[in-house]
Amino acid sequence: MRQNLFILISAIVIVLVACSGSNNGVKNVMPAAAPAKSAKSAKSAKSLSLAAQVGQQMFFDRTLSGSGKMACATCHDPKFAYGPPNDLAVQLGGPTLTDGGARAVPSLRYKENTPAYADLLDNPDGISVPGPGGGFNWDGRANSLVEQAKIPLMDPHEMANTRPADVVAKIRTSTYAPLFLQAFGSTAFANTDAAFTNATAALQAFQLEDVSFHPYNSKFDLYAGNKIGGTLTVAESRGLNVFSDPKTGNCASCHYQGAGLNGSSALFTDFSYEAISVPRNPAIPANSDPAYFDMGVCGTIRTDHLPISTDAPNPFCGMFKAPSMRNVATRTTFFHNGVMHSLQQVIQFYNTRDTIPQIWYPTVGGVAKRVNDKNFPTYGLIKTQYVGGKVQKYNDLKAAYRTNIDTQLPLDGRAAGSAPPMSDQNVADLICFLGTLSDDYDPAKTPTSATCAN
Ligand code: HEC
Ligand code: HEC
């Protein structure tokens, strides 16, 4: 669990002040942030290694799936920062492209500095208490991009190959088979297991080397690098303050990392895992079984941290990765189960999960009002107001594991009906700030929306 880390940014100097434990101010001043620059591994398309060139071909190759119609890029669309191209909670894959998976598709950008998973990973801020961190997927079950790539190729809900040998056979008859041999040796198809591992290494090489996975060219990068065009508007600056302020948004305590491990600029994740108890999503097919719970690091998809018996104490249950905030404004589906569909909804969830729980979790036993009160919020997941009944708070985490829920601001468990930590203005400003984290910003061409101007 990451504790309060907050940032104050002025020009290019990023001063980090962090707390270990919720309220103890252990102050620490970090050196000036590295100016925005491309990751060390970033190369132009021309200089991709042979392995990365194979990976590039594979990434867009639909024939590599059981259906023959699904490539990595189908779900990880480069036009959407290698995230999903639509607002479906989960994408449809499998042999006939009709099987909904269990989780929302993450962006593949800015993964190049992700460390391997550890139960007690040192926080990149160097101060916060070590906790679960690192690794790939929402539950960290893959330690490298090589390990990760095997999963979608074989997953019956995704590319749905039945055997690694099927993938190798398809590469062998592809137009890029000669490139594969050039990259991995003239006998590279002789051993199927070795060929499959090389194929996944090729996918990793493409993701690590191609600059499109880590362009570091958002408005925030211009701002942090003190470059022309990098002036935040008044609303965006206020949003940055909310993001960093431990008394309102406090987003930076989980969604910020200063100078990257390899000298890259801020990644907007500290790779940590927390339980924040997002509402259950009925749109996920597996959730039609009331006994099914996706509990992240403790299972059931991940299998090395399972509770030793049903409901046995286990600190990892309910934890999911705090993803990077870069390019988050290009998404239309949010959280591991894709239950939310706008940034306003996500931020209001953080703001009012505890103060207005009835708009996030279903109520049982109440009587629906014919007309909602005027002040009943419209941004929640639940659109009907009830009189009486019981709100099924934290309905996607088994009761035995609700003590794992993180308690730092803005999700500090305050009483229903009390004032939320952020004002509506704070929420609007935060949305403006998050918009500055989208790549391919061009000061001459990207207009600032009127709502974010001042
Ligand atoms: C059917 C949609 C789909 C396809 C096709 C797909 N993925 Fe994914 N990808 C996902 C989902 C969903 C997750 C999250 C899985 C989880 O948390 O268990 C994911 C996670 C990842 C991650 C981890 C990202 C992170 O934030 O940790 C990487 C890397 C990745 N995919 C690469 C690939 C590659 C390479 C391919 C092609 C071989 C591919 N994916 C094909 C849906 C897809
Ligand atoms: C206690 C740590 C913590 C804090 C504080 C926090 N987050 Fe998160 N955030 C997470 C975790 C963990 C997830 C993934 C949860 C899940 O999917 O179950 C997440 C997910 C998100 C997502 C979804 C991203 C995606 O790709 O689907 C957004 C957006 C987000 N957070 C924004 C914010 C903002 C804005 C703030 C401040 C108001 C904030 N977070 C504060 C831990 C935190």
Side-chain angles (χ1 to χ4, degrees):
M1 239 162 288
R2 300 303 183 236
Q3 303 299 335
N4 302 339
L5 160 67
F6 51 92
I7 51 172
L8 299 163
I9 301 186
S10 66
I12 59 163
V13 182
I14 300 183
V15 180
L16 282 151
V17 185
C19 308
S20 174
S22 7
N23 296 309
N24 314 325
V26 181
K27 303 224 166 164
N28 175 56
V29 177
M30 302 280 281
K37 62 182 176 191
S38 296
K40 212 165 64 179
S41 56
K43 291 182 183 173
S44 71
K46 274 195 210 112
S47 63
L48 290 183
S49 67
L50 287 170
Q53 290 176 43
V54 172
Q56 183 172 36
Q57 297 288 330
M58 287 180 64
F59 194 88
F60 296 95
D61 185 353
R62 290 167 190 268
T63 68
L64 292 186
S65 55
S67 62
K69 292 182 183 148
M70 173 165 257
C72 309
T74 310
C75 295
H76 300 287
D77 188 332
K79 290 204 278 306
F80 292 83
Y82 291 100
N86 54 45
D87 69 353
L88 293 177
V90 294
Q91 301 299 309
L92 298 174
T96 54
L97 297 190
T98 49
D99 297 338
R103 292 181 180 162
V105 181
S107 165
L108 300 188
R109 284 214 173 134
Y110 302 103
K111 304 290 169 188
E112 71 277 13
N113 289 328
T114 306
Y117 175 86
D119 288 345
L120 291 175
L121 189 77
D122 284 336
N123 194 286
D125 69 23
I127 300 152
S128 301
V129 189
F136 296 93
N137 290 329
W138 286 101
D139 53 17
R141 73 191 185 283
N143 268 329
S144 66
L145 290 170
V146 172
E147 249 180 63
Q148 200 288 325
K150 295 179 180 169
I151 299 174
L153 286 167
M154 305 311 299
D155 189 315
H157 301 297
E158 299 186 350
M159 294 170 79
N161 287 289
T162 31
R163 299 171 310 155
D166 298 341
V167 179
V168 174
K170 288 169 193 164
I171 297 172
R172 198 171 190 165
T173 54
S174 71
T175 52
Y176 52 91
L179 193 60
F180 192 89
L181 293 173
Q182 232 184 314
F184 299 110
S186 57
T187 57
F189 288 119
N191 178 313
T192 304
D193 289 346
F196 185 65
T197 300
N198 280 335
T200 54
L203 284 165
Q204 166 170 277
F206 174 51
Q207 294 174 73
L208 290 181
E209 291 179 29
D210 196 276
V211 72
S212 68
F213 287 94
H214 24 66
Y216 293 95
N217 61 3
S218 65
K219 185 175 193 181
F220 176 82
D221 291 311
L222 293 182
Y223 164 74
N226 209 15
K227 297 204 179 113
I228 293 167
T231 309
L232 300 189
T233 67
V234 181
E236 289 162 350
S237 306
R238 280 197 310 260
L240 171 55
N241 288 337
V242 178
F243 189 84
S244 318
D245 178 9
K247 294 199 177 68
T248 52
N250 195 32
C251 319
S253 74
C254 303
H255 293 292
Y256 185 76
Q257 187 208 337
L261 299 179
N262 292 335
S264 60
S265 89
L267 293 176
F268 291 92
T269 173
D270 63 3
F271 315 114
S272 66
Y273 292 77
E274 289 88 17
I276 64 170
S277 210
V278 304
R280 191 170 177 87
N281 189 356
I284 292 184
N287 281 346
S288 58
D289 175 0
Y292 173 84
F293 289 92
D294 182 353
M295 295 199 290
V297 180
C298 97
T300 53
I301 299 176
R302 184 173 178 157
T303 52
D304 60 349
H305 287 68
L306 294 170
I308 48 170
S309 59
T310 306
D311 295 346
N314 182 317
F316 301 101
C317 292
M319 285 189 165
F320 292 89
K321 181 160 66 183
S324 172
M325 289 295 100
R326 283 181 174 269
N327 296 299
V328 81
T330 66
R331 296 179 68 84
T332 47
T333 185
F334 300 93
F335 291 130
H336 73 275
N337 61 2
V339 71
M340 309 236 172
H341 293 284
S342 71
L343 278 177
Q344 195 212 16
Q345 210 166 36
V346 170
I347 298 170
Q348 286 293 10
F349 169 72
Y350 277 104
N351 204 26
T352 65
R353 181 195 71 182
D354 301 316
T355 59
I356 326 177
Q358 67 272 27
I359 63 170
W360 302 110
Y361 304 99
T363 295
V364 292
V367 177
K369 278 197 154 191
R370 260 189 303 145
V371 182
N372 292 343
D373 291 351
K374 276 215 179 63
N375 63 356
F376 188 78
T378 51
Y379 49 72
L381 293 172
I382 310 288
K383 306 291 185 193
T384 310
Q385 190 177 9
Y386 287 85
V387 181
K390 188 160 170 31
V391 181
Q392 306 295 292
K393 208 173 164 187
Y394 308 140
N395 68 339
D396 208 22
L397 186 58
K398 291 175 93 178
Y401 299 118
R402 292 185 187 158
T403 50
N404 293 348
I405 294 172
D406 206 274
T407 55
Q408 62 183 304
L409 264 163
L411 300 169
D412 58 352
R414 62 185 65 191
S418 61
M422 289 179 268
S423 67
D424 286 350
Q425 185 67 52
N426 288 160
V427 173
D429 292 342
L430 206 37
I431 294 171
C432 292
F433 170 66
L434 291 175
T436 71
L437 302 179
S438 296
D439 286 323
D440 304 321
Y441 175 73
D442 179 344
K445 291 198 194 123
T446 321
T448 305
S449 74
T451 43
C452 292
N454 43 46

